[in-house]
Amino acid sequence: MKNNTVLLAGATGYLGGYIAKELETRQISTKILVRNIEKAAKLTSENTQIIKAEVTNSETLKGHFKGVDTVISTVGITRQKEGLTYMDVDFQANINLLKEAVKSGVRKFVYVSVLNGNLHRNLKILEAKEAFVDALIASNIEYTIIRPNGFFSDMKDFLEMAQKGKVYLFGSGEQKFNPIHGADLAIVCVSAIEAIKPEINIGGPDILTHTEVAKKALLVCGKPIKIVHLPHWIRKLVIWFLRTFTSSKTYGPYEFFLTLMAEDAIAPRYGTHRLSNFFQSEMDSLKK
């Protein structure tokens, strides 16, 4: 791989942190844009330049893209906060990055969206993400859109329920998916710098049903297998209620997870990290 400079946005998030480590492992010169310098202190290395900038403020981005070959963006929010909406962050912040990249002659833009995101534009989170995908495709820059399945970090919800002794699932619990660890996904994202494919769907090595994930979570917590299956009409009612009586700030993440939990989501398998090991490490860290 050419040792050209990469600009990474979103490095203080779950996936972004792993991408920063992967770039350092490969000794790729990297500029990391962060809002909070102190939060990014652990990402400092001899090949890394930490730059204070606000991706939601295009003025703060000027001049930082000079000499950059590739932009990698994991910028996005699961929960709206600090007055920022999904359109402010998942869409507009990435538009700010894209405009500066095009203006500065950047060769490539790598963006992380969601598996099957283009099929769920009615969801607030994905409406914003896919609006940016449309803009990226329409731009005159080379691009790769990474579409991962669920992250291992999202599976903590199963663990939290398991610690209380019961895991609640919707329907039969036989929906299948293959979530991926951030370290494995980071390898795919960094490799995308030289990838030819415009889109990469990617998941973890194990295809699991929701019931299998629930059992793994209960076992690692040392709890008996207690799984409660709720009918889908309750899931649909919850989504309707939240959409009707709350703002997108409240219902956005619930709408997203409750919708995607009701269907199969199987992507090409990749990686070496296993969900059982992740659950065990999470429990070990809680005991320390």
Side-chain angles (χ1 to χ4, degrees):
M1 183 179 290
K2 300 168 190 173
N3 198 19
N4 292 323
T5 299
V6 169
L7 184 141
L8 173 61
T12 53
Y14 169 74
L15 174 60
Y18 283 109
I19 292 175
K21 290 176 190 172
E22 182 64 23
L23 289 164
E24 173 56 24
T25 297
R26 301 195 196 190
Q27 297 186 312
I28 295 172
S29 174
T30 305
K31 293 181 178 182
I32 294 180
L33 297 184
V34 293
R35 185 173 56 167
N36 186 329
I37 294 285
E38 291 177 8
K39 200 173 175 183
K42 64 186 180 201
L43 302 175
T44 304
S45 71
E46 61 178 294
N47 295 307
T48 302
Q49 179 186 358
I50 308 291
I51 299 167
K52 183 175 174 60
E54 295 260 5
V55 288
T56 52
N57 181 352
S58 58
E59 289 298 312
T60 68
L61 303 179
K62 291 181 177 177
H64 298 312
F65 289 63
K66 186 176 180 182
V68 171
D69 172 75
T70 303
V71 171
I72 299 178
S73 175
T74 67
V75 170
I77 52 174
T78 302
R79 289 172 172 79
Q80 295 181 160
K81 53 189 175 181
E82 298 173 18
L84 294 170
T85 67
Y86 297 120
M87 290 305 289
D88 291 334
V89 181
D90 294 70
F91 175 70
Q92 190 58 53
N94 282 299
I95 287 289
N96 294 343
L97 292 168
L98 178 60
K99 285 182 177 177
E100 199 61 33
V102 171
K103 192 192 306 179
S104 303
V106 170
R107 177 184 66 87
K108 185 164 189 180
F109 199 111
V110 177
Y111 175 64
V112 181
S113 185
V114 175
L115 183 69
N116 299 329
N118 53 325
L119 304 179
H120 292 288
R121 290 170 179 260
N122 60 310
L123 307 182
K124 281 296 178 183
I125 294 177
L126 298 182
E127 175 189 27
K129 285 185 182 298
E130 293 305 311
F132 175 69
V133 166
D134 292 343
L136 180 55
I137 292 171
S139 72
N140 291 319
I141 199 168
E142 185 183 339
Y143 67 87
T144 294
I145 298 155
I146 311 290
R147 293 192 176 279
N149 215 322
F151 296 166
F152 275 18
S153 57
D154 298 329
M155 301 302 106
K156 289 180 185 178
D157 290 342
F158 284 90
L159 265 187
E160 288 173 8
M161 286 189 283
Q163 285 174 278
K164 296 171 184 174
K166 287 181 189 172
V167 175
Y168 293 87
L169 300 178
F170 289 104
S172 66
E174 293 308 300
Q175 300 94 331
K176 295 178 180 178
F177 67 145
N178 55 324
I180 187 168
H181 193 285
D184 289 331
L185 183 53
I187 294 171
V188 176
C189 293
V190 174
S191 297
I193 294 169
E194 299 297 333
I196 305 299
K197 285 184 175 181
E199 293 205 8
I200 298 173
N201 293 336
I202 199 77
D206 299 320
I207 296 172
L208 303 163
T209 65
H210 293 176
T211 298
E212 287 170 333
V213 174
K215 287 180 178 178
K216 288 177 186 294
L218 288 161
L219 285 170
V220 82
C221 291
K223 304 287 186 181
I225 304 300
K226 287 187 179 178
I227 300 172
V228 178
H229 295 271
L230 302 172
H232 278 297
W233 67 262
I234 292 180
R235 179 185 61 80
K236 292 174 182 175
L237 182 63
V238 170
I239 294 174
W240 173 84
F241 181 87
L242 291 171
R243 280 176 177 165
T244 305
F245 296 106
T246 71
S247 69
S248 62
K249 178 180 179 180
T250 300
Y251 76 69
Y254 294 104
E255 171 192 66
F256 175 67
F257 288 113
L258 287 173
T259 299
L260 297 190
M261 287 291 282
E263 58 189 48
D264 287 343
I266 301 171
R269 296 157 71 182
Y270 180 81
T272 59
H273 289 77
R274 265 32 202 213
L275 188 59
S276 295
N277 295 337
F278 172 76
F279 279 166
Q280 188 62 60
S281 66
E282 286 295 306
M283 291 306 295
D284 291 344
S285 66
L286 287 174
K287 293 171 185 174
K288 288 178 182 176

